[in-house]
């Protein structure tokens, strides 16, 4: 059950929960004290020197009223103080839980394998990390206090009623079992509806986020109206799911009110008859009438409270499910050596989940301190090789070793700390150029940044911008051109200064002149580094020490540029198509 799982998560906040609950109880006790004071006041006015206060030594009626006035001020003061304390504690607790849950959920998401992300929509994850956690925060901010105070009211008022008149108590409490039963029945029926509401909300937000990211494509295809209709469809499903939950929720309070009338009327009639017969004091009767209202009226809010509770539990279920996830790829404890690193594939096979095998018994070695290129037609599995080395995915068969160490025995963080990747799909963060360049080395100096940028042929265009390295580049670097983004990504990888550098189509978005300049820089950068290059343009890798040719997930050729041209195989055909030259 979500509630017990939530309590388990809150074990470190146990003292805070107990303290806030205590404040709620004291506040409610003070809140129901005024009806007693009203009953005593009635008793003073009716009996004067024979009132209940006279038994405590205060005989004069006016002095009795002064005592009551002082008690009233004290009670209201206690109520106000503890209301401040409970509001402060519950709200701070709600904020801490919100903060910790979001952080823990996000931290755990970052630990998961890339295969998990490929099956999830970013909008749905955003909905869980934001909307669901906010929903839980709203419950802790108010709903938890309401439940505790209703329980306190029932216990305290019930004890008073049974003290004055067990029969009146039974009449007053007659609706309570039906209200409680109705509340649980309501909770049971509305729970699946709110789960559906949260799911529909996630789908809507997911499509909105997806469309905002793809706005350029939508506009270029003049598909605005089409996308409005698509969003309208998802939003309508969310609206309908919410409408069903609202209809059931709105029905709860009116039904509860009718049950409350029964208890209040019973107390009014039977208690009044006892008072008329002289079997019940007028002051006691006043207390019972006022307390009946204090007992039963808060129960009208049970519908709203349970509504808030159920929404929170539906959200908690989704959040806590995230915390239970574990990565399937687990590394060892051994650290990667800082020496030049060689990479060896031995009969490695791999298939993405639910798809046919992509790599078939791949074997090759990227020698330490040398540049190795992987080429081949689209879909041959070139980029997948890099993902396996970075442990984004795990090979199904065979062995990958780094300088002789099985990659599965190495610490995953240590592996990635020794590698830098420039992907064909460049991702830059919303912020400044400086912040993006230093992403892998936050302590880098400006001169080190500029040196890396010069190597990537990026320094000139950066310095031409109004704010230079402090220029804001927008979400995903949208204020820059594709070539500029790719050069920044390359500079970021160079600045990380790792012994292994992966270039996955790293110069695909730059012009020929810039590409030639970057190639010259890379020759310097590659000194004493293990560089693995994936390229479609064979001209960019002709000087590689070793070239591996893939076709349909298999190594079909290997050697340097001159050796491969002599073999007159796939590499030769690709070279002739790209250059228009006949290989000799």
């Amino acid at each position: 059950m979500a509630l017990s799982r939530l309590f388990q998560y809150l074990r470190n906040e146990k003292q805070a929960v107990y303290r806030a609950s205590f404040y709620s109880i004291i506040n409610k006790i003070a809140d129901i004290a005024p009806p007693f004071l009203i009953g005593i006041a009635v008793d003073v006015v009716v009996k004067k020197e024979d009132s209940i206060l006279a038994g405590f030594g205060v005989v004069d009626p006016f002095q009795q009223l002064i005592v009551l006035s002082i008690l009233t001020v004290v009670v209201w003061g206690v109520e106000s103080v503890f209301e401040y304390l409970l509001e402060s504690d519950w709200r701070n607790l709600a904020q801490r839980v919100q903060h910790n849950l979001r952080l823990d959920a996000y931290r755990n998401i970052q630990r998961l394998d890339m295969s998990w992300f490929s099956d999830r929509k970013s909008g749905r994850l955003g909905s869980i990390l934001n909307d669901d956690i906010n929903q839980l925060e709203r419950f802790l901010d108010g709903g938890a206090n309401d439940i505790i105070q209703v329980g306190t009211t029932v216990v305290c008022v019930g004890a008073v009623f049974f003290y004055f008149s067990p029969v009146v108590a039974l009449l007053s409490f007659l609706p309570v079992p039906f209200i409680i039963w109705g509340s649980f029945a309501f909770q049971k029926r509305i729970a699946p509806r709110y789960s559906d509401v949260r799911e529909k909300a996630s789908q809507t937000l997911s499509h909105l986020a997806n469309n905002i990211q793809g706005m350029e494509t939508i506009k270029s295809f003049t598909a605005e109206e089409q996308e409005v209709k698509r969003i309208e469809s998802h939003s309508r499903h969310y609206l309908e799911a919410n409408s069903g939950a609202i209809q059931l929720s709105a029905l709860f309070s009116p039904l509860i009110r009718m049950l409350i009338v029964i208890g209040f009327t019973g107390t009014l009639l039977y208690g009044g008859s006892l008072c008329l017969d002289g079997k019940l004091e007028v002051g006691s009767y006043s207390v019972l009438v006022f307390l009946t209202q204090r007992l039963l009226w808060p129960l009208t809010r049970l519908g709203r409270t349970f509504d808030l509770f159920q929404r929170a539990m539906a959200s908690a279920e989704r959040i806590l499910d995230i915390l239970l996830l574990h990565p399937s790829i687990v590394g060892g404890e051994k650290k990667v050596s800082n020496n030049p690193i060689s990479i060896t594939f031995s009969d490695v096979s791999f298939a993405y989940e639910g798809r046919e095998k992509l790599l078939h018994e791949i074997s090759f070695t990227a020698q330490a301190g040398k540049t190795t290129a992987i080429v081949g037609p689209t879909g041959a599995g070139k980029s997948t090789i890099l993902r396996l080395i970075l442990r984004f995915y795990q090979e199904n068969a065979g062995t990958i070793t780094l300088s002789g160490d099985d990659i599965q025995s190495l610490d995953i963080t240590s592996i990635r700390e020794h590698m830098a990747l420039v992907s064909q799909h460049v991702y830059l963060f919303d912020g400044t150029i400086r912040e993006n360049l230093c992403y892998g080395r936050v302590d880098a100096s400006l001169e080190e940044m500029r040196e890396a940028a010069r190597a990537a042929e990026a320094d000139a265009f950066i310095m031409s911008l109004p704010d230079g390295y402090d220029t804001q580049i927008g979400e995903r670097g949208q204020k820059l051109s594709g070539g500029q983004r790719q050069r920044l990504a390359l500079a970021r990888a160079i600045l990380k200064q790792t012994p292994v550098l992966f270039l996955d189509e790293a110069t695909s978005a730059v012009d020929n002149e810039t590409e030639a300049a970057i190639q010259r820089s890379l020759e310097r950068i590659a000194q004493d580094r293990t560089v693995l290059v994936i390229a479609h343009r064979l001209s960019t890798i002709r000087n590689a020490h070793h070239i591996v040719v893939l076709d349909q997930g298999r190594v079909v050729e290997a050697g340097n540029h001159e050796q491969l041209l002599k073999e007159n195989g796939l590499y030769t055909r690709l070279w002739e198509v790209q250059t228009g030259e006949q290989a000799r």
Side-chain angles (χ1 to χ4, degrees):
M1 184 181 176
L3 184 60
S4 61
R5 293 174 64 191
L6 182 60
F7 278 143
Q8 178 64 23
Y9 177 80
L10 293 175
R11 60 187 179 276
N12 293 331
E13 294 284 0
K14 189 183 299 183
Q15 295 301 319
V17 172
Y18 290 159
R19 186 174 60 250
S21 300
F22 173 74
Y23 294 156
S24 294
I25 291 170
I26 298 300
N27 171 259
K28 179 48 64 175
I29 291 173
D31 178 60
I32 60 178
F36 289 95
L37 299 178
I38 292 172
I40 295 172
V42 171
D43 191 56
V44 168
V45 172
V46 173
K47 292 187 174 183
K48 299 181 176 60
E49 289 83 358
D50 297 325
S51 69
I52 190 171
L53 276 182
F56 290 92
V58 185
V59 179
D60 182 70
F62 186 73
Q63 289 183 349
Q64 293 179 26
L65 292 176
I66 293 176
V67 170
L68 282 175
S69 299
I70 294 171
L71 288 175
T72 300
V73 172
V74 170
V75 166
W76 280 63
V78 169
E79 181 184 3
S80 298
V81 168
F82 279 92
E83 183 172 358
Y84 164 76
L85 292 174
L86 76 88
E87 288 278 350
S88 177
D89 268 36
W90 279 119
R91 288 187 176 184
N92 284 323
L93 173 64
Q95 292 302 315
R96 287 198 304 275
V97 170
Q98 179 190 49
H99 169 76
N100 292 332
L101 258 181
R102 183 176 286 117
L103 200 61
D104 289 344
Y106 178 70
R107 182 183 289 112
N108 199 52
I109 283 174
Q110 286 197 139
R111 294 173 56 237
L112 300 176
D113 312 319
M114 292 304 298
S115 59
W116 184 84
F117 289 94
S118 64
D119 295 330
R120 303 296 186 285
K121 294 182 178 179
S122 58
R124 185 177 187 277
L125 292 177
S127 174
I128 293 173
L129 292 175
N130 188 54
D131 292 352
D132 284 331
I133 290 177
N134 289 343
Q135 187 69 54
L136 184 59
E137 181 263 340
R138 282 191 287 271
F139 169 72
L140 290 173
D141 198 2
N145 173 64
D146 287 345
I147 290 174
I148 291 171
Q149 292 205 334
V150 167
T152 302
T153 301
V154 170
V155 171
C156 293
V157 173
V160 172
F161 267 61
F162 278 97
Y163 172 78
F164 281 121
S165 174
V167 177
V168 174
L170 290 174
L171 287 173
S172 299
F173 275 81
L174 184 62
V176 173
F178 296 99
I179 292 172
I180 294 175
W181 173 82
S183 298
F184 281 107
F186 163 79
Q187 178 187 348
K188 186 176 181 180
R189 290 195 62 184
I190 206 168
R193 299 196 183 198
Y194 278 132
S195 294
D196 187 44
V197 167
R198 299 312 311 152
E199 187 60 35
K200 293 295 191 297
S202 294
Q203 293 174 5
T204 303
L205 289 173
S206 177
H207 279 81
L208 281 169
N210 189 58
N211 280 16
I212 290 171
Q213 290 181 1
M215 192 58 67
E216 185 176 294
T217 302
I218 292 172
K219 287 181 175 294
S220 68
F221 281 89
T222 62
E224 290 92 339
E225 285 305 313
Q226 174 184 328
E227 290 305 324
V228 167
K229 290 178 181 178
R230 194 196 303 269
I231 295 299
E232 181 187 20
S233 174
H234 285 288
S235 185
R236 186 168 297 281
H237 289 155
Y238 172 60
L239 178 67
E240 290 170 354
N242 236 329
S243 178
I246 289 170
Q247 286 179 0
L248 184 58
S249 174
L251 185 63
F252 184 78
S253 289
L255 293 176
I256 295 299
R257 286 173 184 266
M258 296 311 298
L259 289 171
I260 287 172
V261 168
I262 297 173
F264 186 78
T265 305
T267 303
L268 193 68
L269 290 176
Y270 187 74
S273 66
L274 290 177
C275 190
L276 291 173
D277 293 339
K279 298 178 180 179
L280 186 67
E281 298 293 341
V282 175
S284 300
Y285 175 62
S286 302
V287 171
L288 292 178
V289 170
F290 280 111
L291 283 182
T292 301
Q293 187 267 343
R294 288 297 182 96
L295 168 68
L296 299 176
W297 196 250
L299 297 179
T300 60
R301 296 203 307 269
L302 271 183
R304 183 176 301 174
T305 303
F306 271 110
D307 181 87
L308 192 62
F309 171 78
Q310 199 53 59
R311 286 178 183 264
M313 290 306 101
S315 294
E317 196 78 43
R318 285 154 51 96
I319 301 164
L320 295 172
D321 283 346
I322 291 286
L323 296 179
L324 290 178
L325 296 173
H326 297 285
S328 58
I329 301 177
V330 181
E333 297 181 357
K334 192 172 183 180
K335 303 296 182 180
V336 177
S337 169
N338 285 318
N339 296 323
I341 297 169
S342 64
I343 303 169
T344 300
F345 274 57
S346 301
D347 297 321
V348 173
S349 297
F350 174 76
Y352 290 105
E353 187 175 354
R355 293 161 61 182
E356 295 182 357
K357 186 183 291 187
L358 178 61
L359 299 181
H360 302 264
E361 299 177 346
I362 296 291
S363 295
F364 72 90
T365 296
Q367 295 182 8
K370 304 291 185 180
T371 297
T372 300
I374 302 176
V375 301
T378 300
K382 303 184 295 297
S383 297
T384 299
I385 286 176
L386 300 187
R387 294 183 184 127
L388 293 177
I389 300 171
L390 286 164
R391 305 230 64 197
F392 293 161
Y393 297 88
Q394 183 159 302
E395 64 276 12
N396 303 134
T399 305
I400 302 173
T401 59
L402 302 183
S403 298
D405 293 321
D406 190 328
I407 201 169
Q408 295 190 29
S409 69
L410 297 172
D411 177 71
I412 292 178
T413 300
S414 178
I415 292 172
R416 295 171 184 166
E417 285 175 345
H418 287 75
M419 299 176 180
L421 169 67
V422 183
S423 173
Q424 57 184 312
H425 305 295
V426 173
Y427 190 94
L428 298 176
F429 296 91
D430 187 12
T432 65
I433 289 176
R434 182 192 301 270
E435 290 167 343
N436 275 276
L437 284 179
C438 293
Y439 195 69
R441 269 191 66 204
V442 294
D443 59 343
S445 66
L446 177 60
E447 184 52 41
E448 288 174 317
M449 277 190 289
R450 293 200 64 181
E451 184 179 347
R454 282 191 288 267
E457 295 292 321
D459 183 66
F461 92 78
I462 293 173
M463 295 304 294
S464 69
L465 296 173
D467 296 317
Y469 281 78
D470 292 316
T471 300
Q472 294 284 337
I473 61 175
E475 189 175 6
R476 301 180 68 89
Q478 61 185 354
K479 294 182 180 180
L480 303 176
S481 70
Q484 290 173 333
R485 289 197 295 269
Q486 199 157 38
R487 279 179 274 171
L488 278 187
L490 180 58
R492 178 171 61 185
I494 294 170
L495 184 60
K496 192 179 177 184
Q497 296 181 348
T498 56
V500 178
L501 178 62
F502 295 144
L503 305 175
D504 187 359
E505 298 290 346
T507 58
S508 62
V510 298
D511 55 67
N512 291 334
E513 183 179 349
T514 303
E515 180 187 17
I518 291 175
Q519 285 300 125
R520 290 193 297 271
S521 299
L522 285 176
E523 290 177 8
R524 297 193 307 272
I525 296 164
Q527 295 295 323
D528 300 323
R529 256 189 193 149
T530 303
V531 181
L532 204 56
V533 183
I534 291 175
H536 278 102
R537 294 185 195 173
L538 300 187
S539 59
T540 63
I541 52 88
R542 64 180 301 170
N543 294 324
H545 297 95
H546 188 63
I547 301 171
V548 178
V549 184
L550 292 185
D551 188 24
Q552 296 183 358
R554 290 180 169 85
V555 176
V556 293
E557 295 175 305
N560 61 33
H561 177 71
E562 289 73 18
Q563 291 171 337
L564 292 173
L565 287 182
K566 290 178 183 179
E567 291 187 13
N568 201 28
L570 176 60
Y571 183 86
T572 303
R573 294 196 298 274
L574 292 173
W575 177 263
E576 292 175 347
V577 169
Q578 290 186 21
T579 63
E581 300 177 1
Q582 189 73 27
R584 296 178 181 178

